[in-house]
Amino acid sequence: MSYVRAEDILPKELIESIQQYVSGKTIYIPCKEKKIWGSQSKSKQYYEIRNHEICKKHSIGISIKKLANEYSLSEKSIQRILRTTIFTGEAAP
């Protein structure tokens, strides 16, 4: 997250109004439109494909321990992926 000086972008009247509530402090102003997690970096798609692969490998008999080693995850993480990922046996998204 980058910071922008209020004086560079806001009118003086608005700054004076905000100073009535908070002065000399850093405040966060949220975006109007919330972006979906992973939409810019494609990380959501990466994890969906990875989790699908894990489910597919587990369905053909690969153990949780081997999957944990292969994907550098804990066995608990593999169990959670298996429990929460919908696997239909079809190709990954």
Side-chain angles (χ1 to χ4, degrees):
M1 177 183 345
S2 61
Y3 295 95
V4 179
R5 290 176 45 93
E7 294 88 2
D8 295 341
I9 60 168
L10 299 175
K12 184 178 179 185
E13 301 81 27
L14 181 56
I15 293 172
E16 289 171 355
S17 180
I18 293 170
Q19 285 173 331
Q20 293 176 18
Y21 300 96
V22 62
S23 183
K25 305 255 186 208
T26 303
I27 62 169
Y28 170 74
I29 300 174
C31 296
K32 278 186 174 182
E33 300 170 8
K34 186 171 180 167
K35 296 177 183 165
I36 297 171
W37 177 85
S39 62
Q40 290 182 312
S41 66
K42 307 274 188 203
S43 56
K44 183 176 181 180
Q45 182 181 11
Y46 166 80
Y47 288 118
E48 286 176 352
I49 292 168
R50 181 203 65 182
N51 293 351
H52 185 86
E53 289 173 359
I54 289 170
C55 290
K56 186 174 184 179
K57 288 178 180 182
H58 186 261
S59 73
I60 60 171
I62 298 177
S63 72
I64 289 174
K65 186 173 191 145
K66 285 185 180 180
L67 290 168
N69 286 333
E70 180 180 343
Y71 289 94
S72 301
L73 296 169
S74 70
E75 291 181 32
K76 289 285 186 189
S77 292
I78 297 294
Q79 290 170 348
R80 186 182 70 254
I81 289 167
L82 294 172
R83 190 173 57 247
T84 60
T85 302
I86 297 172
F87 178 69
T88 61
E90 299 171 3

